[in-house]
Amino acid sequence: MHTLDPLAYRNAMSRFAGHVHIVTAAQGDMRRGVTITAACSVSDDPATLMVCLNQANPRNEIFRTNGFFALNTLAADQIDIAHVFSGRDGIDMAKRFDYGIWQPLSTGAPTLSNAVAAFDCKLVDIKTVATHMVLFGEVVDIRLGDDRPALIYLDRSYRTL
């Protein structure tokens, strides 16, 4: 069996549509948020979801050590905040939470007050797979926002449904 070219894989995955989220965590005075598409439901009983994060970034260690995180699902009108937390605009991490209104639910992880949905999670398992850490979170609280069109990432750009 031959080794697959990583660039070919990334090009194929760019055609894989994903809902855009911001995953967040807080520990003491430190907060971290990252724009992602690699998240999905695992189970509804108990309510569990999973999130994939690049483990090469040392700032993502807070997700491993904190024990709690939140997944904030974005709407089509939230492209600007998606850019902020993607790092595309070069905004310092300490200033990123100045964008939007952030409120904790049960665990203390920051949740975006006008997200389509915010899932407040307790970390129940973590797996390392290749370059990424896969976080499994039991959802302990939810906030549903207004029903608005979804923000999707496809073909290396944002789209709406």
Side-chain angles (χ1 to χ4, degrees), residues 119-149:
F119 303 87
D120 197 18
C121 301
K122 174 180 72 171
L123 183 65
V124 293
D125 200 1
I126 188 165
K127 303 286 185 194
T128 300
V129 180
T131 58
H132 282 63
M133 64 176 96
V134 184
L135 309 173
F136 293 88
E138 181 178 340
V139 181
V140 297
D141 206 350
I142 291 175
R143 183 178 51 244
L144 289 176
D146 296 334
D147 190 12
R148 304 190 323 270

Side-chain angles (χ1 to χ4, degrees), residues 7-72:
L7 180 59
Y9 177 75
R10 285 193 302 274
N11 286 336
M13 287 304 296
S14 74
R15 298 177 186 183
F16 189 89
H19 202 140
V20 180
H21 312 272
I22 298 173
V23 61
T24 59
Q27 193 168 30
D29 291 339
M30 190 168 84
R31 294 190 293 179
R32 173 93 172 127
V34 182
T35 300
I36 65 165
T37 57
C40 69
S41 175
V42 174
S43 176
D44 67 353
D45 188 18
T48 307
L49 57 78
M50 63 175 252
V51 169
C52 300
L53 284 170
N54 190 329
Q55 66 181 3
N57 188 329
R59 291 177 291 190
N60 285 341
E61 191 62 22
I62 188 173
F63 293 99
R64 184 186 310 272
T65 61
N66 182 43
F68 303 101
F69 66 92
L71 185 67
N72 300 276

Side-chain angles (χ1 to χ4, degrees), residues 3 17 26 47 50 58 77 107 139:
T3 302
M50 63 175 252
D77 61 353
T107 69
V139 181

Side-chain angles (χ1 to χ4, degrees), residues 80-143:
D80 290 342
I81 200 160
H83 283 307
V84 167
F85 282 87
S86 73
R88 184 197 85 145
D89 295 340
I91 297 169
D92 182 75
M93 182 54 65
K95 297 188 186 297
R96 292 180 190 182
F97 285 94
D98 293 345
Y99 295 81
I101 298 170
W102 298 89
Q103 303 166 327
L105 292 176
S106 298
T107 69
T111 62
L112 184 61
S113 65
N114 65 342
V116 172
F119 303 87
D120 197 18
C121 301
K122 174 180 72 171
L123 183 65
V124 293
D125 200 1
I126 188 165
K127 303 286 185 194
T128 300
V129 180
T131 58
H132 282 63
M133 64 176 96
V134 184
L135 309 173
F136 293 88
E138 181 178 340
V139 181
V140 297
D141 206 350
I142 291 175
R143 183 178 51 244

Side-chain angles (χ1 to χ4, degrees), residues 17-19 75-76 148-152 154 159-161:
H19 202 140
R148 304 190 323 270
L151 181 59
I152 304 296
L154 174 66
R159 316 251 183 207
T160 63
L161 283 181

